[in-house]
Amino acid sequence: TRTYSATATDAGSGLASLEQSTDGGAWTPYAGPTVASDSSLEVDFRATDFAGNVSASVPLAVGAVTTAAVSPAAPNGLAGWYTVAPVVMLSAGAAAPGQVTQYSFDGSTWATYTGAIRIPAGHSTLSYRTIGSGVTEPTQTLSFSVDLDAPTVTPAFNSSTRTWSATASDGTSGVAGIVV
């Protein structure tokens, strides 16, 4: 669950109130752990003691949740393989200033997401995250197995024995079988 919370203490007259302001809005009483939306936001907290002293505002940045939409949504081939290159679209909710969504294949350098990501042939893991407002979202991953090419079949005929044979190869997902 995406929740944020705050605590305050006062060693003098005691704590009278704890307030929050979301994205620069009005100060409201803080009522305890709060569920955050999928969008990024900044929550400021301040406390007041019984003597009337008000603390400095303390900001808390809550990062966005990045979601991924894959098309086709599920592997369209056998045994979990895609035979059509899947495309991934990332979304990080309402963008905050300075927020950047990034992706990486198999642990490579992070790239800035600018549009649809086409998944290459073979086995790969797509990692993605959104960073900004001093918060880096925990990395999420999707794994893919993509084979865009049909196997190669090589038939042979031995004229002296009058027999034929066939071999097949596939460099990505392998050969499941040869049908006569």
Side-chain angles (χ1 to χ4, degrees):
T1 59
R2 289 175 42 86
T3 59
Y4 61 86
S5 61
T7 60
T9 60
D10 183 76
S13 60
L15 184 65
S17 67
L18 179 58
E19 298 175 298
Q20 70 180 30
S21 168
T22 304
D23 289 332
W27 288 99
T28 59
Y30 172 71
T34 306
V35 175
S37 70
D38 287 347
S39 299
S40 63
L41 62 128
E42 183 170 310
V43 183
D44 291 291
F45 296 94
R46 70 179 181 190
T48 304
D49 66 15
F50 283 108
N53 297 310
V54 179
S55 72
S57 174
V58 178
L60 173 69
V62 178
V65 171
T66 307
T67 58
V70 181
S71 179
N76 60 329
L78 301 174
W81 285 87
Y82 285 89
T83 60
V84 172
V87 175
V88 177
M89 300 289 289
L90 300 176
S91 175
Q99 180 176 298
V100 176
T101 299
Q102 299 176 320
Y103 69 96
S104 168
F105 279 108
D106 301 317
S108 64
T109 302
W110 289 99
T112 299
Y113 174 76
T114 58
I117 304 166
R118 183 181 165 99
I119 306 301
H123 294 291
S124 61
T125 299
L126 174 69
S127 301
Y128 57 96
R129 67 185 183 186
T130 296
I131 61 172
S133 302
V135 176
T136 299
E137 171 190 26
T139 300
Q140 300 180 67
T141 60
L142 293 170
S143 293
F144 297 92
S145 296
V146 180
D147 188 348
L148 306 176
D149 299 317
T152 302
V153 177
T154 306
F157 179 72
N158 184 324
S159 59
S160 63
T161 61
R162 307 279 306 152
T163 59
W164 60 270
S165 63
T167 59
S169 65
D170 185 282
T172 308
S173 63
V175 176
I178 301 173
V179 178
V180 179

